[in-house]
Amino acid sequence: MKFGPVIDELIDALRILPGVGQKTAQRMALELLERKRSGGLRLSKALDTAMHDIQRCVRCRNFTETEICAICDDSRRDDGLLCIVESASDLLAIEQSHQFKGRYFVLGGSLSPIDGRGPDQIGIPQLVERIREAGISEVIIATNPTVEGEATAHYISEVINDGSLLITRLAHGLPLGGELGFVDGETLGYAFSGRKPVNE
Ligand SMILES: [Zn+2]
């Protein structure tokens, strides 16, 4: 059934959200129109503002509305530790585990040549540049425990290994093939404390 172009466009636009198919998008659109007009306006305003104002932190590529993100700007965090993650959602998962008080670098996903994601596309040159800055003693590679994540971790450890840097990898308790964003904080905290050097 078609309602008209405006509602059809709303339903179509809602389908951009992860896990939202045609049926769910229809239900969301009609619910907003029937009962949640003010919530819908708030959502559209928040979306509009976020899409225009949120950019990548120039130091770590985390999302931020300022040039430098809050984590990079926090003087209480340890400059000696740099944790490499595949996405901002993985950064968020690690932050919520309260196990890590260093800095981050957010890659643009994992290496996957078949999908057109090589070192340049995921930000390896910026990462290498970031690591060259003085003061980093340990790099923790927290890519996902997937085939691509493992390959990415291996590639990074080869590229950044200069003999002086301690390079570690999250080890225990992470489900193979999983994503950090879906792992509970306790498991992630355990994986963090059990990280292992990869360049010995
Ligand atoms: Zn940052």
Side-chain angles (χ1 to χ4, degrees), residues 57 60 69 72:
C57 171
C60 74
C69 77
C72 288

Side-chain angles (χ1 to χ4, degrees), residues 57-62 64 67-73 104:
C57 171
V58 296
R59 277 178 73 76
C60 74
R61 299 189 74 258
N62 186 19
T64 173
E67 198 185 349
I68 305 273
C69 77
I71 293 175
C72 288
D73 202 34
Y104 289 94

Side-chain angles (χ1 to χ4, degrees), residues 82 84 105 107 123-133 136 155-156 159-160:
L82 185 76
I84 303 169
F105 188 88
L107 296 169
I124 301 287
Q126 294 98 301
L127 171 65
V128 170
E129 206 173 302
R130 174 78 177 82
I131 289 172
R132 280 208 198 103
E133 288 174 29
I136 295 173
Y155 181 84
I156 291 170
V159 170
I160 65 176

Side-chain angles (χ1 to χ4, degrees), residues 2-123:
K2 290 277 177 189
F3 291 101
V6 174
I7 297 187
D8 289 346
E9 168 59 13
L10 173 59
I11 292 168
D12 211 41
L14 285 166
R15 290 186 58 187
I16 200 173
L17 295 167
V20 175
Q22 182 69 16
K23 278 256 160 72
T24 307
Q26 282 174 5
R27 219 175 54 230
M28 286 174 165
L30 297 178
E31 172 78 7
L32 288 169
L33 290 166
E34 276 171 10
R35 279 184 287 273
K36 306 219 166 102
R37 294 270 173 147
S38 64
L41 285 170
R42 182 181 161 204
L43 174 64
S44 82
K45 190 159 178 279
L47 268 175
D48 190 60
T49 308
M51 293 307 114
H52 285 104
D53 294 356
I54 303 292
Q55 47 187 324
R56 295 279 185 180
C57 171
V58 296
R59 277 178 73 76
C60 74
R61 299 189 74 258
N62 186 19
F63 289 123
T64 173
E65 53 202 87
T66 49
E67 198 185 349
I68 305 273
C69 77
I71 293 175
C72 288
D73 202 34
D74 186 346
S75 60
R76 291 163 303 178
R77 299 189 74 114
D78 188 346
D79 283 325
L81 299 174
L82 185 76
C83 180
I84 303 169
V85 291
E86 286 183 27
S87 68
S89 94
D90 294 341
L91 181 156
L92 198 60
I94 292 170
E95 279 301 285
Q96 284 165 351
S97 79
H98 303 292
Q99 287 290 318
F100 182 67
K101 288 285 169 255
R103 310 287 181 183
Y104 289 94
F105 188 88
V106 182
L107 296 169
S110 55
L111 287 173
S112 181
I114 210 165
D115 300 308
R117 292 200 307 273
D120 288 353
Q121 282 73 39
I122 70 167

